[in-house]
Structures are given as C-alpha cells and as structure tokens.
Amino acid sequence: MTADVRAAMLETLIEPLAAVGRAPADVPDDLDLLAEGVIDSFGLLELISSLEARYATVLDFSELPPGELTVVGPLTRHLAAQIEG
Amino acid sequence: MGSGVFIGTDAILETAYPHRLSIGDRVVVGHRALIIAHFRESDSFRDEDEPAVVIEDDVFIGPNVTILPNVTIGHGAVVTAGSVVSQSVPPLTMVQGVPARPVARCGVPLGMRTPLKEFYRQLRPLRSPARPAESSPPARARDEPDERDG
C-alpha cells in the first residue's frame, strides 16, 4: 500500500516536481516538499483532496508530527496507514 | 486597531475614513494589501457609523490582497495572496481567488507565532469529493453584538 500511495502522491505532483527539476523516480524519502518548493498550502490541499478522492476516505494528520507533514517518506507512510485504516 | 498587529510594507488601510475600518488583535496585513472601507467620496460618513470593514482577531491577510467595503473577516481566517475579498469570510476559513472563495478550514490561526507546518497540518480542504459537505460557521452578522473590544 505504501508504494501505491507514494506513486499516487508523486503522480499528483508531477508538474510541481518538474518545475524544480525532479521526476517522481528521483524523489528521495527525505525530500521536504515544502522546503523544496514543490508544494505550498494549496499544493497540500490539492494533494489531500486528490488522495481522498482516489481512496474514498477522509485523511487525518493529527498524529503526524508537524515537522514530517511535507516530508515524502513519513507523509507516505502516514497516508498509507490512514488509507489502510 | 488592536494590539500585536503587523502591517506590511506599502499596505494601504482606508485613508479617507479610517473609522470605518476595525482591526482586531494579532492581525497580520501583508505587503501591499489594500483595504477599502468606502466606495464613493460623495457618500457621507459619520464618525459614529459602524465600521464597514471588520477584521477580527488573529486574521492573516496575505500580500497584495484587496478587501472591499461591507465585509467582516472572521477571527483566525486566512486570505491568500492576491485575493479580492468582496464577501464576509467565516472564522477560521481560508479564502482564495478573485472574488475570494472558501477553500479550506483552518484548525488554528496563521499567526506570527504559529509554525507554518502546524498550520498546514490542520488545514482541511472544503471541496474533497470524499468529504461530506462541511458547514462553515456563518460570518458574524453586521448587526450582531461584537464580543471583541477591537
């Protein structure tokens, strides 16, 4: 599930990733999407909406430490756990 | 004007009739924001008139935002950069666009001391197909008593 969520997340971010010279295959787990300029608040909202629609669920980030919110690895694992329920 | 307010460079806050603008505590007004509390110079305004623009506590107004008369921006709301606010904004709501429309609910205000990721973590989109329709609390009606001092 984690790999599927990671792929879905990065697919959503193809354009903003390309804007900073990255492809989904080049994204390391420790990439901070916010610090790297891949997403801003709207990017995060769009990402959440996209994943919620894709997996027909409502995501909750209350247990994800704020510092990990926009870091690919922790975020992916958190999303996968949420989606698996 | 409340306390702890930040006003960005080149912001313009209703210069002709400043009493028609009310700003609460800990409000952030971004650079080059424009707040207009009257439309026509020919209208007559009295000092005792109710403010035409009310910005409640802990509101964050992004850079280059325009706020038009006769709106209340509810406490903790966020107006994103470049937006034009022509309607009241419910509390703890993020609005965006021209005209500004609600896009998210804010779990916490985006204050000067709020870590950005903490703010982001508690943002909830309003238009997710998977999410039941959320009913934002209504903006305070203009004729309701104001519970703030500001």
Side-chain angles (χ1 to χ4, degrees), chain A residues 41-54:
Chain A
S41 57
F42 286 113
L44 184 61
L45 289 173
E46 288 172 359
L47 180 61
I48 294 169
S49 294
S50 169
L51 293 172
E52 287 185 340
R54 182 181 183 114

Side-chain angles (χ1 to χ4, degrees), chain B residues 83-102:
Chain B
S83 299
V84 175
V85 178
S86 57
Q87 294 181 323
S88 290
V89 178
L92 288 168
T93 300
M94 175 187 276
V95 296
Q96 184 263 337
V98 181
R101 298 288 187 234

Side-chain angles (χ1 to χ4, degrees), chain A residues 32 52 59 62 64 66 70, chain B residues 117-118 121 124 128 131:
Chain A
D32 187 327
E52 287 185 340
L59 299 169
S62 58
L64 182 63
T70 54
Chain B
K117 285 193 176 182
E118 179 60 31
R121 187 174 69 141
R124 307 306 305 153
S128 168
R131 184 174 301 281

Side-chain angles (χ1 to χ4, degrees), chain B residues 125-142:
Chain B
L126 288 174
R127 294 176 186 152
S128 168
R131 184 174 301 281
E134 294 189 36
S135 57
S136 300
R140 181 174 59 82
R142 302 307 307 276

Side-chain angles (χ1 to χ4, degrees), chain B residues 6-7 15 18 24 26-28 31 34 41 58 60 62 69 86 89 95 100 118 128 138 143 149:
Chain B
F6 171 85
I7 307 288
T15 53
R26 300 172 300 279
V27 168
V28 175
H31 306 301
L34 171 62
E41 292 297 337
D58 299 302
F60 183 96
S86 57
V89 178
V95 296
E118 179 60 31
S128 168
D143 55 354
D149 292 331

Side-chain angles (χ1 to χ4, degrees), chain B residues 26-44:
Chain B
R26 300 172 300 279
V27 168
V28 175
V29 179
H31 306 301
R32 291 185 176 271
L34 171 62
I35 303 177
I36 304 168
H38 79 287
F39 268 129
R40 302 189 309 169
E41 292 297 337
S42 58
D43 289 340
S44 60

Side-chain angles (χ1 to χ4, degrees), chain B residues 8-97:
Chain B
T9 305
D10 287 343
I12 298 175
L13 312 183
E14 178 55 50
T15 53
Y17 304 98
H19 65 281
R20 290 178 60 80
L21 169 62
S22 169
I23 296 180
D25 295 335
R26 300 172 300 279
V27 168
V28 175
V29 179
H31 306 301
R32 291 185 176 271
L34 171 62
I35 303 177
I36 304 168
H38 79 287
F39 268 129
R40 302 189 309 169
E41 292 297 337
S42 58
D43 289 340
S44 60
F45 300 116
R46 299 171 303 170
D47 287 349
E48 59 269 29
D49 286 345
E50 287 290 309
V53 173
V54 176
I55 299 172
E56 296 184 344
D57 295 344
D58 299 302
V59 166
F60 183 96
I61 297 168
N64 217 30
V65 162
T66 298
I67 297 175
L68 299 176
N70 304 317
V71 300
T72 293
I73 301 182
H75 69 84
V78 173
V79 183
T80 62
S83 299
V84 175
V85 178
S86 57
Q87 294 181 323
S88 290
V89 178
L92 288 168
T93 300
M94 175 187 276
V95 296
Q96 184 263 337

